[in-house]
Amino acid sequence: MEKKIADIKLELESADITNIDAILEQYRADNRSGVVKLIAKYDKEKEKLQKERERSYEMRRFEREYGKEYHAICGIDEVGRGPLSGPVVACAVILPTNEEILYLNDSKQVSEKKREELYDVIMEKAVAVGVGVVPPSVIDEINILQATYEAMRVAISKLQVKPDLLLNDAVTIPGVAVKQVPIIKGDAKSASIAAASIVAKVTRDRLMVEYDKIYPGYGFAHNKGYGSKEHIDMLQKIGPTPIHRHTFIKNFVEEE
């Protein structure tokens, strides 16, 4: 007796796309149009998965290259250099060498939903993760570049495994006694830097959502402290909050 198409669909939906070949082969001889469409759909999903695996393999190029000499390779990135309010956040991540994590990319190229999913995967599978948060008061005091470097140094110091090589997104961090490799657009070229980019982005976004509850009206939950019209209008209407960067808002408000 032929299995119902609805049951085949359910079987395919319940299967792991990474190990679905045996199920697909079982139904390839079924000529019913519904089954043919299902097979075609999952063949396309398999093709997309293969392309992602190839992209992911390329994203680990630097890790493979330097992994011949170094054992604890750490990717570093930051978010929040441009906003008018909130901290700058940096992250340092050491990924496992023997486990594939798909869909890692520059956090700006990944949807919010996917970033949240990847955050959980990275936190679960990473060898070590360190996060550094530098507040607006320090940004105003030492400038955003120096604050960014400080956030990166803090992130490195919080790693439970000491790195012997740093892969950085385009910068060389002062005051760090570990070999560094700056990579231009590194968050789109290195899996480790991409992972750091995602963790830093999710961490900062979550902080800004919490700040939105404390300082409502500025739209922090969705503009994340960047200079949206809503944010600037509110800034000019009632003034800055304790999390605003005074050196960043001087073109929008007059402060005593």
Side-chain angles (χ1 to χ4, degrees):
M1 181 177 175
E2 284 187 320
K3 184 177 283 190
K4 292 179 180 178
I5 294 176
D7 291 336
I8 296 173
K9 181 181 180 183
L10 183 61
E11 186 178 358
L12 288 167
E13 286 175 346
S14 303
D16 184 347
I17 189 64
T18 61
N19 192 29
I20 204 171
D21 286 355
I23 301 173
L24 291 174
E25 292 307 315
Q26 184 180 343
Y27 298 113
R28 284 196 188 279
D30 193 323
N31 293 321
R32 289 176 292 175
S33 63
V35 177
V36 171
K37 287 178 181 177
L38 281 171
I39 298 295
K41 174 187 174 183
Y42 283 95
D43 277 343
K44 189 173 288 187
E45 289 295 318
K46 278 177 52 191
E47 183 180 344
K48 285 166 61 178
L49 177 62
Q50 181 57 32
K51 286 181 179 178
E52 172 54 28
R53 279 181 160 158
E54 291 170 2
R55 189 196 68 84
S56 178
Y57 182 82
E58 180 61 22
M59 285 282 285
R60 298 194 301 276
R61 175 168 59 92
F62 291 100
E63 287 79 358
R64 284 194 304 275
E65 177 184 341
Y66 289 104
K68 298 169 186 174
E69 183 178 355
Y70 300 94
H71 302 290
I73 298 173
C74 175
I76 300 176
D77 202 7
E78 52 71 32
V79 296
R81 288 181 66 168
L84 306 180
S85 62
V88 62
V89 177
C91 180
V93 176
I94 301 174
L95 291 178
T97 58
N98 57 351
E99 193 161 0
E100 180 182 64
I101 301 178
L102 299 177
Y103 307 107
L104 292 175
N105 205 342
D106 170 9
S107 63
K108 296 185 290 298
Q109 303 299 318
V110 182
S111 70
E112 182 177 358
K113 180 182 178 184
K114 195 66 179 177
R115 284 197 302 266
E116 290 284 346
E117 292 173 2
L118 283 168
Y119 176 93
D120 291 338
V121 173
I122 295 162
M123 297 303 285
E124 176 189 347
K125 294 186 175 182
V127 174
V129 177
V131 175
V133 180
V134 172
S137 58
V138 176
I139 294 172
D140 285 335
E141 182 181 346
I142 64 176
N143 79 47
I144 186 60
L145 179 60
Q146 296 307 318
T148 299
Y149 289 149
E150 178 60 17
M152 290 176 168
R153 287 190 290 264
V154 171
I156 295 165
S157 74
K158 290 187 176 180
L159 289 168
Q160 293 184 326
V161 174
K162 186 177 180 180
D164 53 9
L165 181 73
L166 306 178
L167 301 180
N168 306 342
D169 187 19
V171 302
T172 299
I173 310 161
V176 175
V178 181
K179 180 177 172 60
Q180 302 181 54
V181 179
I183 301 170
I184 303 298
K185 296 186 178 178
D187 48 9
K189 296 177 181 177
S190 158
S192 300
I193 299 176
S197 170
I198 288 167
V199 172
K201 173 70 172 165
V202 171
T203 299
R204 189 179 187 280
D205 284 358
R206 289 178 179 178
L207 284 172
M208 295 309 295
V209 168
E210 292 305 308
Y211 280 131
D212 187 67
K213 298 172 185 176
I214 301 170
Y215 308 111
Y218 295 86
F220 293 151
H222 51 268
N223 64 43
K224 304 303 187 285
Y226 285 87
S228 68
K229 184 178 185 304
E230 174 190 22
H231 184 177
I232 293 170
D233 285 349
M234 193 68 167
L235 191 57
Q236 292 174 336
K237 182 179 179 182
I238 65 171
T241 70
I243 66 160
H244 274 96
R245 305 171 181 180
H246 296 282
T247 51
F248 279 51
I249 63 173
K250 55 189 178 183
N251 290 334
F252 303 107
V253 295
E254 291 184 12
E255 296 188 276
E256 296 181 1

